[in-house]
Amino acid sequence: MVRLGVSLRAWIQRLASMARRDRLDDELRDEVQLHLELRRQALIDDGMDPREALGQAQRMFGNVVAIREETRDMWGFPSIDSLWQDLRYGVRLLRRSPMFTFTSILSLAIGIGASAAVFSLADRMLVQVLPVRAPEELIILRWHSGPVLPFSSLNGNASQNDDGFASTSFSLDAVRRVRTEARPLVDVFGFAGLDRVNLSIDGVADLGEAEAVSGNYFSVLGVCPTRGRPLLDADDSAEAPPAAVISDSLWKRRFAGSDSAIGGTLFVNGAAFVVVGVIPASFHGTGQVGTSPDLYVPLASRDRIVRFDDKSTDVNFWWVLMMGRLQRDVTSDQAQPRIDAIVKQSTASARPALGAKDLPRVDVASGARGQVEVREGVREPLRIMAIVVGIVLLVACANVASLLVARGRARLREVSVRIALGAPRRRIVRQLITEGVLLVAGASAGGLLAARWIAAGLLPALQQGPDPMTLAAGLSPRLIAFVAVLASGCVVLFALTPALRASDVTLVTGLHEAGRGSSSARYRGGLSAGLIVVQITMSTVLVASALLLVRSIHQLERVDLGFDARHLLLFKVDPTLNGYQDERVVQIYEDILE
Amino acid sequence: MGRRHTSRQDLLPGTLDMLILKTLTRGVMHGYGIAEHIRQLSDEVLHVEEGSLYPALQRLQLQGLIKSEWGHSINNRRARYYRLTPAGRRQLGQTESSFRRLIEAIARVMRPA
């Protein structure tokens, strides 16, 4: 209790003294002055030569600057206070050598920006879960079959190997059966991407992405519209008036974010839909990573949009993906056999010719991140990117470190003078590291700004299908935390060793050598040599891989097309999206040719 | 290398504070007076680097063991005078007795066998 009181009072006094520190400093100076004066007088009284007395008094007193520093540290919050000093001094020094500052910040910013970009991509694609209620309860269903196809046609992702097929698409019948029959175990919903559609609003046409979803899609996911209502089971029937829920981005883009959008009409591939709601900007559907549907329509209205394809209710047409939310206290292992049985049943009744061993086996995977194929596909490219940007960052650190070592040599005199004036070594090290922190802070800010564009530049390299990916980029707390950790690592990598080296100055040689304006060649030879080796190695690796990349792109561009590609423009018109058929399509193409 | 703190090493750790507190039991004093008092009483055996007195005085003040106020010295110079607080007096009693035990223990060990 007493201790607490004492330390509390000490803190209050510190706070108070922070406010009047200049006065305290003056007081201490007066006190020391008086002390020296009295001591000098006493020495003279003892018979000392008055000319020597002051010097002797000072020797008896000790290092005035160090003592003032020590006392001052006691008054305030030494770390914060001298940190501020270090920062100001560091900024001044960095401004004095703009070339060095610019080069260091630029190279670090490139390294940090690239790392941040890859991190944000990896975070978005592999780590982040769907922005829905309790995403860990979600499951996604996949099936494997033998070499005999259990369907007649399939829309979606499928892979084929020697053993057979695997996919995430099911028939509408299977989805409806699982939904009703497995309800005690899992709340299943269906969804399917409808690819590019022609979106026409107030007579202005545009391409957009549409997603067909079951009536319980939004309620099971727990996604609440920001305006209007979600799609409901009542909407998901052929007789219901066609309803659509639009994305926040489409709402802002095409409806100017107006409330009157609700109840408005839009035409999807020529079919009219009434907008009933707007979903939050954070939700981008449960499809592949990088997709972002502009609107959601009921599964039952698919045939109104996609006209020249199999009928959506065809039991041998597999096109719906299935996800679900496990009921309370049900594990995915408990749900799997039941779902498997239902899907087998549905398949067997649709294709009686199939043998029991040809029926698809359903397994259950975590649905916390939505559809999985692209995510699995980007894992490897992302890993390679991470390695490359890691090397870039290391090279940048080595660059800056060797610049700092060179600067450390040039600053030998400054450091020696500061030590001579009584600065403790840790203070010098801290000063040098503060400069490193300043550089990294500048570079991190630049890197974070650049990360967006770098990520956008890297995205096409991760693209798996023909459609470009879109990822809502932005600063997330996780990204900022990552950059902060990265930046601290960089400081340790490039600033700590040069700082320790530079401050390890034997006073006499330091002043001496610096005074001569030269430094002996052996001084710190080892560190710079090591850094140069690291730099050259890393750069060689980088240049080699960059050359390979450029060369393959170059060769792709040089492929002989067999015709003169200059002054040619490629564009595509697809009137079939809007329901133009047969002769009318030909007519339109002829019109365009003229 | 730069600085030397020989004075600190010449004293047992924590003794400087105790010496200051003990000196202040004699009454109100300024820094120089305290330094001079310690120097003279110890027959100049205790070599205190005089400057190190001032951080110690600050520390004791922050701990609430001593108080200070500005006044005028004999030759009419502005000087800061330190005085012991009741807490400082209690603290001195504790350190004194533990110091005495320490000295006695060392003396017993060092006594000729």
Side-chain angles (χ1 to χ4, degrees):
Chain A
M1 211 40 224
V2 176
R3 272 221 65 70
L4 188 71
V6 167
S7 62
L8 188 68
R9 182 172 36 191
W11 274 90
I12 292 171
Q13 286 200 2
R14 275 183 181 190
L15 276 175
S17 57
M18 278 262 280
R20 52 193 167 103
R21 59 175 323 132
D22 287 344
R23 197 167 62 88
L24 283 169
D25 205 26
D26 286 348
E27 284 177 2
L28 183 68
R29 207 186 48 225
D30 288 355
E31 228 180 339
V32 171
Q33 197 63 47
L34 176 71
H35 185 113
L36 291 174
E37 179 57 35
L38 289 173
R39 171 63 67 211
R40 190 180 77 97
Q41 199 56 53
L43 288 170
I44 292 171
D45 291 348
D46 284 355
M48 185 175 274
D49 186 335
R51 279 169 301 181
E52 288 171 18
L54 185 60
Q56 177 60 26
Q58 278 165 351
R59 273 191 293 283
M60 286 173 78
F61 192 85
N63 187 331
V64 178
V65 178
I67 282 160
R68 272 173 64 181
E69 179 104 331
E70 194 181 341
T71 318
R72 223 178 292 152
D73 280 357
M74 236 180 283
W75 291 336
F77 300 83
S79 42
I80 295 176
D81 210 76
S82 51
L83 189 70
W84 180 234
Q85 249 178 25
D86 285 352
L87 277 178
R88 275 189 315 196
Y89 184 64
V91 169
R92 218 161 56 213
L93 274 182
L94 291 178
R95 276 170 60 175
R96 211 185 290 160
S97 40
M99 254 334 268
F100 162 79
T101 310
F102 179 74
T103 324
S104 315
I105 290 190
L106 187 68
S107 53
L108 284 174
I110 292 171
I112 291 179
S115 312
V118 172
F119 174 83
S120 68
L121 287 178
D123 184 46
R124 282 283 147 69
M125 296 182 158
L126 304 177
V127 181
Q128 269 182 24
V129 295
L130 296 171
V132 300
R133 173 165 49 83
E136 69 282 353
E137 292 173 4
L138 294 175
I139 55 166
I140 185 160
L141 303 179
R142 299 186 292 200
W143 59 261
H144 305 264
S145 77
V148 181
L149 290 183
F151 54 82
S152 56
S153 66
L154 180 137
N155 239 356
N157 281 80
S159 62
Q160 184 178 17
N161 58 21
D162 295 342
D163 299 332
F165 286 88
S167 174
T168 42
S169 296
F170 296 87
S171 70
L172 194 55
D173 176 66
V175 175
R176 287 193 171 143
R177 284 192 195 210
V178 174
R179 192 182 156 190
T180 39
E181 292 171 32
R183 174 156 285 169
L185 297 171
V186 58
D187 233 347
V188 159
F189 58 87
F191 61 100
L194 300 182
D195 298 329
R196 292 272 160 129
V197 293
N198 178 317
L199 275 183
S200 170
I201 298 157
D202 291 338
V204 182
D206 192 0
L207 279 179
E209 263 182 70
E211 187 94 356
V213 300
S214 60
N216 61 343
Y217 183 81
F218 292 105
S219 63
V220 173
L221 282 173
V223 173
C224 294
T226 52
R227 273 176 178 71
R229 63 169 179 86
L231 291 175
L232 302 170
D233 273 326
D235 298 310
D236 194 9
S237 76
E239 298 79 40
V245 164
I246 59 176
S247 73
D248 190 75
S249 123
L250 183 72
W251 179 56
K252 290 196 171 118
R253 204 165 69 230
R254 300 298 301 274
F255 292 96
S258 142
D259 282 332
S260 63
I262 308 296
T265 304
L266 52 75
F267 293 88
V268 186
N269 286 355
F273 283 84
V274 173
V275 177
V276 297
V278 180
I279 56 145
S282 60
F283 184 72
H284 298 285
T286 46
Q288 304 283 22
V289 64
T291 60
S292 184
D294 295 300
L295 80 161
Y296 301 81
V297 297
L299 285 174
S301 51
R302 171 184 178 273
D303 291 347
R304 290 163 49 84
I305 295 172
V306 186
R307 293 196 192 80
F308 315 114
D309 203 350
D310 304 84
K311 286 285 162 239
S312 57
T313 46
D314 183 344
V315 285
N316 283 311
F317 174 42
W318 292 24
W319 62 283
V320 189
L321 285 95
M322 235 195 294
M323 280 180 62
R325 185 182 290 282
L326 291 169
Q327 303 288 9
R328 189 178 290 277
D329 299 326
V330 176
T331 66
S332 53
D333 289 344
Q334 290 168 328
Q336 187 271 334
R338 183 83 190 102
I339 299 169
D340 186 55
I342 299 168
V343 171
K344 283 199 163 95
Q345 225 174 10
S346 157
T347 314
S349 63
R351 312 204 99 184
L354 280 179
K357 65 172 174 49
D358 292 326
L359 292 174
R361 294 178 307 281
V362 177
D363 67 41
V364 170
S366 162
R369 293 177 184 82
Q371 211 177 338
V372 287
E373 292 90 347
V374 170
R375 284 186 173 78
E376 282 162 3
V378 297
R379 206 174 280 273
E380 199 50 35
L382 273 175
R383 185 173 304 153
I384 293 169
M385 280 183 190
I387 292 171
V388 171
V389 297
I391 294 176
V392 170
L393 187 59
L394 281 178
V395 170
C397 283
N399 262 336
V400 178
S402 51
L403 283 174
L404 277 176
V405 168
R407 237 164 95 86
R409 241 172 266 165
R411 286 173 67 177
L412 198 56
R413 186 189 177 79
E414 178 206 329
V415 169
S416 307
V417 167
R418 291 190 65 191
I419 289 176
L421 286 175
R425 184 174 170 205
R426 65 185 154 79
R427 189 71 201 276
I428 304 270
V429 172
R430 202 171 62 192
Q431 167 64 45
L432 294 172
I433 288 178
T434 308
E435 287 173 41
V437 170
L438 278 171
L439 288 177
V440 165
S444 302
L448 274 175
L449 286 177
R452 227 193 148 102
W453 286 284
I454 300 176
L458 291 176
L459 204 52
L462 296 172
Q463 194 177 316
Q464 310 270 308
D467 291 326
M469 295 207 237
T470 53
L471 271 191
L475 291 179
S476 67
R478 257 203 295 239
L479 179 62
I480 291 173
F482 170 77
V483 168
V485 170
L486 200 66
S488 325
C490 287
V491 171
V492 172
L493 268 182
F494 77 75
L496 189 60
T497 323
L500 288 175
R501 294 280 174 152
S503 64
D504 185 12
V505 177
T506 319
L507 201 49
V508 178
T509 38
L511 285 172
H512 189 65
E513 284 189 3
R516 283 211 318 263
S518 70
S519 56
S520 52
R522 62 184 156 70
Y523 179 67
R524 311 315 169 219
L527 181 62
S528 342
L531 283 172
I532 289 169
V533 170
V534 171
Q535 249 172 305
I536 292 178
T537 320
M538 301 278 190
S539 308
T540 312
V541 173
L542 270 186
V543 169
S545 36
L547 277 180
L548 284 174
L549 198 69
V550 169
R551 195 170 157 66
S552 48
I553 291 174
H554 191 64
Q555 281 183 338
L556 277 180
E557 281 178 347
R558 295 257 311 244
V559 170
D560 192 0
L561 296 172
F563 60 88
D564 187 1
R566 283 172 298 177
H567 308 301
L568 286 187
L569 192 65
L570 179 70
F571 68 98
K572 189 175 151 189
V573 178
D574 190 358
T576 55
L577 281 182
N578 263 2
Y580 286 87
Q581 281 182 36
D582 307 334
E583 295 83 22
R584 289 193 62 200
V585 175
V586 177
Q587 182 63 45
I588 280 188
Y589 282 137
E590 276 171 357
D591 287 351
I592 292 173
L593 278 178
E594 283 160 17
Chain B
M1 296 292 299
R3 314 188 291 163
R4 290 200 178 81
H5 282 296
T6 40
S7 60
R8 294 276 173 80
Q9 273 96 58
D10 287 352
L11 287 176
L12 286 169
T15 23
L16 181 59
D17 288 7
M18 187 178 67
L19 292 179
I20 293 171
L21 291 178
K22 184 67 181 174
T23 307
L24 285 176
T25 52
R26 297 164 54 89
V28 180
M29 278 184 170
H30 54 56
Y32 175 78
I34 299 172
E36 192 60 12
H37 178 84
I38 295 174
R39 201 174 68 91
Q40 281 177 5
L41 277 194
S42 70
D43 285 338
E44 307 194 18
V45 172
L46 293 183
H47 177 93
V48 179
E49 193 181 57
E50 298 183 353
S52 64
L53 200 63
Y54 289 91
L57 285 168
Q58 284 296 339
R59 195 168 51 242
L60 291 171
Q61 214 173 336
L62 283 174
Q63 288 165 2
L65 301 179
I66 60 173
K67 266 186 154 162
S68 73
E69 60 204 26
W70 286 87
H72 292 277
S73 69
I74 315 143
N75 48 6
N76 215 18
R77 293 277 304 266
R78 221 167 78 89
R80 199 203 308 243
Y81 286 94
Y82 296 91
R83 84 165 77 238
L84 210 53
T85 64
R89 209 172 282 280
R90 275 198 304 277
Q91 176 71 29
L92 177 63
Q94 283 167 21
T95 40
E96 239 182 325
S97 57
S98 64
F99 181 71
R100 192 161 294 129
R101 277 201 302 279
L102 178 69
I103 294 294
E104 281 165 6
I106 293 174
R108 272 198 300 280
V109 173
M110 298 302 286
R111 201 176 293 148

